[in-house]
Amino acid sequence: MTDSPFEFTDKRRIDPETGQPRDAAAPSGDGEPEVVVPDDASSLTDGSVPDAPAADAPASGAGADDELAAAQALAAERLDDLQRERASFTNYRNRALRDQEAARTRGIEDVLATLLPVLDDIDRARQAGELEGPFAAISDKLDDVLGKFEIVRFGAVGEEFDPTVHDALMHEDSAEATTTTVKFVIEPGYRIGEKIVRAARVAVVGPQQ
């Protein structure tokens, strides 16, 4: 059996030497198989196959986790800043309210200190029974005004002596006394809320020493 020589027909439409298009060639009639050479046959000279385009690499899971952690840390930092600012504002507001109340109390205290001599004269007239008619009505209105500013008059006969609210100007011993009590109110005391502006000046009676 004689081997027939291997033949192939160049089917490239572009002449590799001239770069001009070729006329369509008539099909071979000898029945021999034809080998079709691609236009770019140079890539086949070394027997290699062109690399397929690489698929896009998926996003790194570690990178996404890092971005999430950074966002969470930033949000926590902003929340902490907001909480500090809110606490600072709350402290400022409370301090301002305390200062305002203290200034109000000082103002009332100054007015009361100025009125004390007048109030003492009215109280003496009341004890002597000289406060009658229109003067009694004026005294009652003045007491109402003092009450609106939380000014309270205190000190009464028979109260147990308390050195925190009473100023004992006179002291009398009695064999019948078991405790020291107020026998006579010389000048009533005044307080604003819980603050003592003036202690009640009193005469007291107590057990024999």
Side-chain angles (χ1 to χ4, degrees), residues 1-5:
M1 180 177 178
T2 305
D3 294 335
S4 59

Side-chain angles (χ1 to χ4, degrees), residues 136-147:
I138 293 174
S139 175
D140 292 340
K141 290 181 179 179
L142 182 58
D143 288 342
D144 292 340
V145 172
L146 296 178

Side-chain angles (χ1 to χ4, degrees), residues 175-193:
E176 299 178 356
T178 57
T179 60
T180 303
T181 58
V182 175
K183 182 179 181 180
F184 181 77
V185 178
I186 301 173
E187 290 177 348
Y190 290 91
R191 65 169 176 257
I192 302 174

